[in-house]
Amino acid sequence: MSAVPLPGAAPAAAPSPPAAAPPVFGLRLATGLAGVLLAVLVSGLNENITKVALADIRGAMGISRDDASWLVALYAAASVSAMAFAPWCSVTFSLRRLTAAAIIVCMAAGLLCPFAPNLSVLMFLRVVQGTAGGALPPMLMTVALRFLPPNIKLYGLGGYALSATFGPSLGTPLAAFWTEYLGWQWAFWQVVPGSIVALLMVSWGLPQDPLRLERLRQFNWRGLLLGLPAISMLVVGLLQGERLAWFASPLICVLLGGGTVLLVLFFINEWSHPLPFFKLQLLSRRNLSHALLTLGGVLFVLLAVILIPSSYLAQVHAYRPLQTAPVMLMVALPQLIALPLVAALCNIRAVDCRWVLAIGLALLALSCVLGARMSPDWIRTHFYLLQAVQIFAQPMAVIPLLLLATTGLAPQDGPFASAWFNTIKGMSAVVATGVLDALITRRNHFHSTVLSERLGNLPAGVDMAGIAQRMHAQVVTLTSSDLYLTVAAIALAMIVIIPILPTRVYPPRAA
């Protein structure tokens, strides 16, 4: 006999429908994850290839060096900004829809770039492509955290690590191939074949979540209006700072000063907003804070060990990207084996990933110390030993950070962790570029001055052109050596904080 409700009593709430069971990991989900990984790699290669092939693009399209620098800066600003806000959008509009849309937009913009009638249109297309490309890495981390079974989750995160190790090193060889054999247009078009395959894999493999448009009623408008210009201004200011003489330029002062103020206001807003883009409370987790801090240093090191040999070989021995390619491939291709092996090592319960991280950082420092012994006689083959040391050093410095950052996260915190990790990743690369540019300029000036003073007044009849060439080679070599030592010091400094900040974690396991 059913109970009769008392007069005046509120009606009982309807029972909520049972939560849908999570999809079983199998071929379909694995295909979707592989598709997202392919899209992320293609997008990252697009950014790196267009940087390496920029001279060919400038010559073909009649773009000045200053205008070309804005192409790079605006793309990076759009990309880093998208990394910050894409995780929120993936929850609202669904992971599969956002990922597929980003792949389509990135591919379409790349297809159109060589046909841009003027610089303004090209810049607009690059901003659009940067926005779409920047939205993809957070999707990869979100997919790995959400769908992979605990026992293999670390291997999925290892796939994410490819975007920090494999992708950047492969940029130079691919740029060399496109420009030397197929034409400069392929620096843009290379996204198309991979994007088509990735789109098919994502569309079939990822489950379709329902739209959650009710979240728009609590949309964080203030956060968007503060955070988007803050990140964009800081990125552009850092990338254009060295070219415009930093704080001697009113524009750089406005970009960096204004961007910093807006960023502080953005974080104040995020702290109390009911539906924030960034959950600052997560930073109370020591392992996450340590991972984000160390990530910045690791990316500085990884960017430097790519920049130093390629820049040295180009300036001292006039190497084109095709000639530098074997040095980069020495690290890039073995990552396909090294990353799974390091993931397997960290997946052993008895292994403390903190010490894997320490060994990886020590190996990176060793590689840089060996590089600091360089001389103007060094050619491509002299860098092979340095690169060989980095084959395992790079994944050993990245995978433990992913394990530390994500272990113990509640499912609802996954998108927030992805926003933090990817935004720091994107911003760290920008900061590293700005700092390295500044260091290179200042050390070049210092060594040029010292060598000029040592030469003094030369007697008549001396081959001035030959002396100038040898002096240039010596300046570049000494600057490269200084950079290697600086990078080695950063790697060693990150080892020092390992016993202090992070706590022991264990690889995820099924309950």
Short mmCIF file of all heavy atoms in Angstrom, two decimals, residues 237-281:
data_model
loop_
_atom_site.label_atom_id
_atom_site.label_comp_id
_atom_site.label_asym_id
_atom_site.label_seq_id
_atom_site.Cartn_x
_atom_site.Cartn_y
_atom_site.Cartn_z
N GLY A 237 54.46 40.13 -25.68
CA GLY A 237 55.53 40.93 -25.09
C GLY A 237 56.82 40.16 -24.92
O GLY A 237 57.91 40.68 -25.19
N LEU A 238 56.72 38.90 -24.50
CA LEU A 238 57.93 38.09 -24.31
C LEU A 238 58.60 37.75 -25.64
O LEU A 238 59.83 37.74 -25.74
CB LEU A 238 57.57 36.81 -23.56
CG LEU A 238 57.24 36.99 -22.06
CD1 LEU A 238 56.58 35.73 -21.51
CD2 LEU A 238 58.51 37.31 -21.28
N LEU A 239 57.80 37.46 -26.65
CA LEU A 239 58.39 37.08 -27.94
C LEU A 239 58.90 38.27 -28.74
O LEU A 239 59.80 38.12 -29.56
CB LEU A 239 57.34 36.31 -28.77
CG LEU A 239 56.96 34.93 -28.22
CD1 LEU A 239 55.93 34.26 -29.11
CD2 LEU A 239 58.20 34.04 -28.09
N GLN A 240 58.34 39.45 -28.52
CA GLN A 240 58.80 40.63 -29.24
C GLN A 240 59.77 41.48 -28.42
O GLN A 240 60.31 42.46 -28.91
CB GLN A 240 57.59 41.51 -29.64
CG GLN A 240 56.69 40.88 -30.67
CD GLN A 240 57.31 40.88 -32.06
OE1 GLN A 240 58.45 41.27 -32.25
NE2 GLN A 240 56.55 40.45 -33.04
N GLY A 241 59.98 41.08 -27.15
CA GLY A 241 60.78 41.92 -26.26
C GLY A 241 62.19 42.16 -26.74
O GLY A 241 62.66 43.31 -26.76
N GLU A 242 62.90 41.12 -27.13
CA GLU A 242 64.29 41.29 -27.54
C GLU A 242 64.40 42.12 -28.80
O GLU A 242 65.29 42.98 -28.92
CB GLU A 242 64.93 39.91 -27.75
CG GLU A 242 66.41 39.95 -28.08
CD GLU A 242 67.23 40.64 -27.00
OE1 GLU A 242 66.87 40.58 -25.81
OE2 GLU A 242 68.25 41.27 -27.37
N ARG A 243 63.51 41.90 -29.75
CA ARG A 243 63.56 42.67 -31.00
C ARG A 243 63.31 44.15 -30.78
O ARG A 243 63.90 45.00 -31.46
CB ARG A 243 62.53 42.11 -31.99
CG ARG A 243 62.61 42.71 -33.38
CD ARG A 243 61.59 42.07 -34.30
NE ARG A 243 60.23 42.44 -33.95
CZ ARG A 243 59.64 43.57 -34.38
NH1 ARG A 243 60.30 44.41 -35.16
NH2 ARG A 243 58.40 43.82 -34.04
N LEU A 244 62.45 44.48 -29.82
CA LEU A 244 62.09 45.88 -29.57
C LEU A 244 62.81 46.46 -28.36
O LEU A 244 62.40 47.50 -27.82
CB LEU A 244 60.57 45.99 -29.37
CG LEU A 244 59.71 45.54 -30.56
CD1 LEU A 244 58.23 45.63 -30.23
CD2 LEU A 244 60.03 46.38 -31.79
N ALA A 245 63.90 45.83 -27.92
CA ALA A 245 64.74 46.34 -26.83
C ALA A 245 64.01 46.37 -25.49
O ALA A 245 64.25 47.25 -24.65
CB ALA A 245 65.29 47.73 -27.16
N TRP A 246 63.14 45.43 -25.24
CA TRP A 246 62.48 45.24 -23.98
C TRP A 246 61.85 46.52 -23.44
O TRP A 246 61.07 47.15 -24.13
CB TRP A 246 63.44 44.59 -22.96
CG TRP A 246 63.76 43.18 -23.34
CD1 TRP A 246 64.92 42.73 -23.90
CD2 TRP A 246 62.91 42.02 -23.23
NE1 TRP A 246 64.85 41.38 -24.14
CE2 TRP A 246 63.64 40.91 -23.73
CE3 TRP A 246 61.61 41.81 -22.74
CZ2 TRP A 246 63.11 39.63 -23.77
CZ3 TRP A 246 61.09 40.53 -22.77
CH2 TRP A 246 61.83 39.45 -23.28
N PHE A 247 62.24 46.94 -22.24
CA PHE A 247 61.52 48.04 -21.58
C PHE A 247 61.92 49.42 -22.12
O PHE A 247 61.41 50.43 -21.63
CB PHE A 247 61.71 47.96 -20.07
CG PHE A 247 61.07 46.75 -19.48
CD1 PHE A 247 61.83 45.67 -19.05
CD2 PHE A 247 59.68 46.65 -19.38
CE1 PHE A 247 61.24 44.53 -18.53
CE2 PHE A 247 59.08 45.52 -18.86
CZ PHE A 247 59.86 44.46 -18.43
N ALA A 248 62.81 49.46 -23.11
CA ALA A 248 63.02 50.71 -23.82
C ALA A 248 61.89 50.99 -24.79
O ALA A 248 61.76 52.10 -25.31
CB ALA A 248 64.36 50.67 -24.57
N SER A 249 61.05 49.99 -25.02
CA SER A 249 59.92 50.13 -25.94
C SER A 249 58.63 50.36 -25.15
O SER A 249 58.29 49.54 -24.29
CB SER A 249 59.78 48.87 -26.79
OG SER A 249 58.53 48.81 -27.43
N PRO A 250 57.90 51.45 -25.42
CA PRO A 250 56.61 51.65 -24.74
C PRO A 250 55.63 50.50 -24.98
O PRO A 250 54.86 50.15 -24.09
CB PRO A 250 56.09 52.96 -25.35
CG PRO A 250 57.31 53.67 -25.86
CD PRO A 250 58.24 52.58 -26.29
N LEU A 251 55.67 49.91 -26.17
CA LEU A 251 54.76 48.81 -26.47
C LEU A 251 55.03 47.62 -25.56
O LEU A 251 54.09 47.02 -25.00
CB LEU A 251 54.91 48.39 -27.94
CG LEU A 251 54.08 47.17 -28.37
CD1 LEU A 251 52.60 47.42 -28.18
CD2 LEU A 251 54.40 46.78 -29.82
N ILE A 252 56.30 47.26 -25.37
CA ILE A 252 56.64 46.13 -24.51
C ILE A 252 56.26 46.44 -23.06
O ILE A 252 55.78 45.55 -22.33
CB ILE A 252 58.13 45.78 -24.62
CG1 ILE A 252 58.46 45.37 -26.06
CG2 ILE A 252 58.50 44.67 -23.65
CD1 ILE A 252 57.70 44.18 -26.56
N CYS A 253 56.44 47.67 -22.63
CA CYS A 253 56.04 48.05 -21.27
C CYS A 253 54.54 47.86 -21.07
O CYS A 253 54.10 47.34 -20.03
CB CYS A 253 56.42 49.51 -20.99
SG CYS A 253 58.20 49.80 -20.88
N VAL A 254 53.76 48.26 -22.06
CA VAL A 254 52.31 48.12 -21.96
C VAL A 254 51.92 46.63 -21.98
O VAL A 254 51.09 46.18 -21.17
CB VAL A 254 51.61 48.87 -23.11
CG1 VAL A 254 50.12 48.51 -23.17
CG2 VAL A 254 51.78 50.37 -22.94
N LEU A 255 52.54 45.87 -22.88
CA LEU A 255 52.19 44.46 -23.01
C LEU A 255 52.53 43.67 -21.74
O LEU A 255 51.69 42.93 -21.21
CB LEU A 255 52.89 43.85 -24.21
CG LEU A 255 52.40 44.30 -25.60
CD1 LEU A 255 53.30 43.74 -26.69
CD2 LEU A 255 50.96 43.86 -25.84
N LEU A 256 53.75 43.83 -21.25
CA LEU A 256 54.15 43.04 -20.08
C LEU A 256 53.55 43.59 -18.79
O LEU A 256 53.08 42.83 -17.94
CB LEU A 256 55.68 43.02 -19.99
CG LEU A 256 56.40 42.28 -21.12
CD1 LEU A 256 57.91 42.27 -20.88
CD2 LEU A 256 55.89 40.87 -21.28
N GLY A 257 53.54 44.92 -18.63
CA GLY A 257 52.96 45.51 -17.42
C GLY A 257 51.46 45.31 -17.36
O GLY A 257 50.91 44.84 -16.35
N GLY A 258 50.77 45.64 -18.45
CA GLY A 258 49.33 45.47 -18.49
C GLY A 258 48.92 44.02 -18.40
O GLY A 258 47.94 43.66 -17.72
N GLY A 259 49.67 43.13 -19.08
CA GLY A 259 49.36 41.71 -19.02
C GLY A 259 49.50 41.15 -17.61
O GLY A 259 48.70 40.33 -17.17
N THR A 260 50.52 41.61 -16.87
CA THR A 260 50.72 41.14 -15.50
C THR A 260 49.57 41.58 -14.59
O THR A 260 49.05 40.79 -13.79
CB THR A 260 52.06 41.67 -14.95
OG1 THR A 260 53.12 41.21 -15.79
CG2 THR A 260 52.29 41.18 -13.53
N VAL A 261 49.15 42.84 -14.72
CA VAL A 261 48.04 43.34 -13.90
C VAL A 261 46.76 42.56 -14.20
O VAL A 261 46.04 42.13 -13.28
CB VAL A 261 47.83 44.86 -14.15
CG1 VAL A 261 46.54 45.34 -13.48
CG2 VAL A 261 49.02 45.65 -13.63
N LEU A 262 46.47 42.37 -15.48
CA LEU A 262 45.27 41.61 -15.84
C LEU A 262 45.33 40.18 -15.35
O LEU A 262 44.31 39.60 -14.95
CB LEU A 262 45.08 41.65 -17.36
CG LEU A 262 44.68 42.99 -17.98
CD1 LEU A 262 44.64 42.88 -19.50
CD2 LEU A 262 43.32 43.44 -17.45
N LEU A 263 46.52 39.59 -15.37
CA LEU A 263 46.66 38.21 -14.92
C LEU A 263 46.37 38.10 -13.41
O LEU A 263 45.72 37.15 -12.97
CB LEU A 263 48.07 37.69 -15.23
CG LEU A 263 48.30 36.19 -15.00
CD1 LEU A 263 47.45 35.36 -15.95
CD2 LEU A 263 49.77 35.84 -15.17
N VAL A 264 46.86 39.07 -12.64
CA VAL A 264 46.57 39.06 -11.20
C VAL A 264 45.07 39.19 -10.96
O VAL A 264 44.48 38.46 -10.14
CB VAL A 264 47.34 40.20 -10.50
CG1 VAL A 264 46.89 40.33 -9.05
CG2 VAL A 264 48.85 39.95 -10.57
N LEU A 265 44.42 40.10 -11.68
CA LEU A 265 42.97 40.26 -11.53
C LEU A 265 42.23 38.99 -11.97
O LEU A 265 41.22 38.61 -11.37
CB LEU A 265 42.49 41.46 -12.35
CG LEU A 265 43.01 42.83 -11.90
CD1 LEU A 265 42.57 43.92 -12.87
CD2 LEU A 265 42.52 43.15 -10.48
N PHE A 266 42.74 38.35 -13.00
CA PHE A 266 42.14 37.10 -13.48
C PHE A 266 42.18 36.03 -12.39
O PHE A 266 41.18 35.36 -12.12
CB PHE A 266 42.88 36.63 -14.72
CG PHE A 266 42.53 35.25 -15.20
CD1 PHE A 266 41.28 34.99 -15.73
CD2 PHE A 266 43.45 34.22 -15.12
CE1 PHE A 266 40.95 33.71 -16.18
CE2 PHE A 266 43.14 32.95 -15.57
CZ PHE A 266 41.88 32.69 -16.09
N PHE A 267 43.33 35.86 -11.73
CA PHE A 267 43.44 34.84 -10.69
C PHE A 267 42.58 35.18 -9.47
O PHE A 267 42.03 34.28 -8.83
CB PHE A 267 44.90 34.67 -10.28
CG PHE A 267 45.71 33.88 -11.27
CD1 PHE A 267 47.02 34.23 -11.57
CD2 PHE A 267 45.17 32.78 -11.93
CE1 PHE A 267 47.77 33.52 -12.49
CE2 PHE A 267 45.90 32.05 -12.85
CZ PHE A 267 47.20 32.43 -13.13
N ILE A 268 42.46 36.45 -9.15
CA ILE A 268 41.56 36.84 -8.06
C ILE A 268 40.13 36.44 -8.38
O ILE A 268 39.39 35.91 -7.54
CB ILE A 268 41.66 38.36 -7.79
CG1 ILE A 268 43.05 38.71 -7.23
CG2 ILE A 268 40.56 38.83 -6.84
CD1 ILE A 268 43.30 40.20 -7.10
N ASN A 269 39.73 36.66 -9.62
CA ASN A 269 38.38 36.28 -10.05
C ASN A 269 38.20 34.77 -10.02
O ASN A 269 37.16 34.26 -9.59
CB ASN A 269 38.13 36.82 -11.46
CG ASN A 269 36.81 36.34 -12.03
OD1 ASN A 269 35.75 36.86 -11.69
ND2 ASN A 269 36.86 35.35 -12.92
N GLU A 270 39.22 34.04 -10.46
CA GLU A 270 39.11 32.57 -10.53
C GLU A 270 38.99 31.94 -9.15
O GLU A 270 38.37 30.89 -9.00
CB GLU A 270 40.33 31.98 -11.26
CG GLU A 270 40.44 32.39 -12.72
CD GLU A 270 39.23 31.99 -13.53
OE1 GLU A 270 39.10 30.80 -13.86
OE2 GLU A 270 38.40 32.88 -13.82
N TRP A 271 39.56 32.56 -8.15
CA TRP A 271 39.55 31.97 -6.81
C TRP A 271 38.13 31.77 -6.28
O TRP A 271 37.86 30.78 -5.61
CB TRP A 271 40.35 32.87 -5.86
CG TRP A 271 40.39 32.36 -4.45
CD1 TRP A 271 39.58 32.70 -3.41
CD2 TRP A 271 41.29 31.37 -3.93
NE1 TRP A 271 39.92 32.01 -2.28
CE2 TRP A 271 40.96 31.18 -2.57
CE3 TRP A 271 42.34 30.63 -4.49
CZ2 TRP A 271 41.65 30.28 -1.76
CZ3 TRP A 271 43.02 29.74 -3.68
CH2 TRP A 271 42.69 29.56 -2.34
N SER A 272 37.25 32.70 -6.59
CA SER A 272 35.91 32.65 -5.99
C SER A 272 34.79 32.33 -6.98
O SER A 272 33.64 32.19 -6.57
CB SER A 272 35.60 34.00 -5.31
OG SER A 272 35.70 35.07 -6.24
N HIS A 273 35.10 32.21 -8.26
CA HIS A 273 34.03 31.97 -9.23
C HIS A 273 33.52 30.54 -9.09
O HIS A 273 34.30 29.59 -8.93
CB HIS A 273 34.54 32.21 -10.66
CG HIS A 273 33.44 32.36 -11.65
ND1 HIS A 273 32.80 31.28 -12.22
CD2 HIS A 273 32.84 33.47 -12.17
CE1 HIS A 273 31.87 31.71 -13.05
NE2 HIS A 273 31.87 33.04 -13.05
N PRO A 274 32.18 30.33 -9.17
CA PRO A 274 31.65 28.97 -9.00
C PRO A 274 32.00 28.03 -10.15
O PRO A 274 31.97 26.81 -9.97
CB PRO A 274 30.13 29.21 -8.93
CG PRO A 274 29.91 30.52 -9.61
CD PRO A 274 31.12 31.35 -9.31
N LEU A 275 32.30 28.56 -11.32
CA LEU A 275 32.64 27.71 -12.46
C LEU A 275 33.88 28.29 -13.16
O LEU A 275 33.81 28.83 -14.26
CB LEU A 275 31.45 27.66 -13.44
CG LEU A 275 31.32 26.39 -14.30
CD1 LEU A 275 31.16 25.16 -13.43
CD2 LEU A 275 30.13 26.52 -15.25
N PRO A 276 35.03 28.19 -12.52
CA PRO A 276 36.23 28.88 -13.03
C PRO A 276 36.87 28.13 -14.20
O PRO A 276 36.60 26.96 -14.46
CB PRO A 276 37.16 28.88 -11.82
CG PRO A 276 36.80 27.61 -11.10
CD PRO A 276 35.32 27.45 -11.28
N PHE A 277 37.74 28.84 -14.91
CA PHE A 277 38.59 28.19 -15.92
C PHE A 277 39.78 27.51 -15.24
O PHE A 277 40.24 26.47 -15.68
CB PHE A 277 39.09 29.22 -16.93
CG PHE A 277 37.99 29.85 -17.75
CD1 PHE A 277 37.64 31.18 -17.56
CD2 PHE A 277 37.30 29.12 -18.69
CE1 PHE A 277 36.63 31.77 -18.31
CE2 PHE A 277 36.28 29.69 -19.45
CZ PHE A 277 35.96 31.02 -19.25
N PHE A 278 40.30 28.14 -14.19
CA PHE A 278 41.43 27.60 -13.44
C PHE A 278 41.01 27.43 -11.99
O PHE A 278 40.45 28.35 -11.39
CB PHE A 278 42.64 28.54 -13.50
CG PHE A 278 43.38 28.51 -14.80
CD1 PHE A 278 42.94 29.26 -15.87
CD2 PHE A 278 44.50 27.73 -14.95
CE1 PHE A 278 43.61 29.23 -17.07
CE2 PHE A 278 45.18 27.69 -16.15
CZ PHE A 278 44.73 28.44 -17.22
N LYS A 279 41.31 26.28 -11.42
CA LYS A 279 41.01 26.04 -10.01
C LYS A 279 42.30 26.24 -9.21
O LYS A 279 43.15 25.35 -9.12
CB LYS A 279 40.47 24.61 -9.84
CG LYS A 279 39.87 24.35 -8.48
CD LYS A 279 39.22 22.97 -8.45
CE LYS A 279 38.58 22.68 -7.09
NZ LYS A 279 37.94 21.34 -7.07
N LEU A 280 42.43 27.45 -8.64
CA LEU A 280 43.66 27.76 -7.92
C LEU A 280 43.85 26.89 -6.69
O LEU A 280 44.98 26.67 -6.25
CB LEU A 280 43.67 29.24 -7.52
CG LEU A 280 44.25 30.20 -8.56
CD1 LEU A 280 43.29 30.40 -9.72
CD2 LEU A 280 44.60 31.54 -7.94
N GLN A 281 42.75 26.40 -6.14
CA GLN A 281 42.86 25.57 -4.94
C GLN A 281 43.68 24.30 -5.20
O GLN A 281 44.23 23.71 -4.27
CB GLN A 281 41.46 25.19 -4.44
CG GLN A 281 40.68 26.36 -3.84
CD GLN A 281 40.02 27.25 -4.91
OE1 GLN A 281 40.20 27.02 -6.11
NE2 GLN A 281 39.26 28.24 -4.47
#
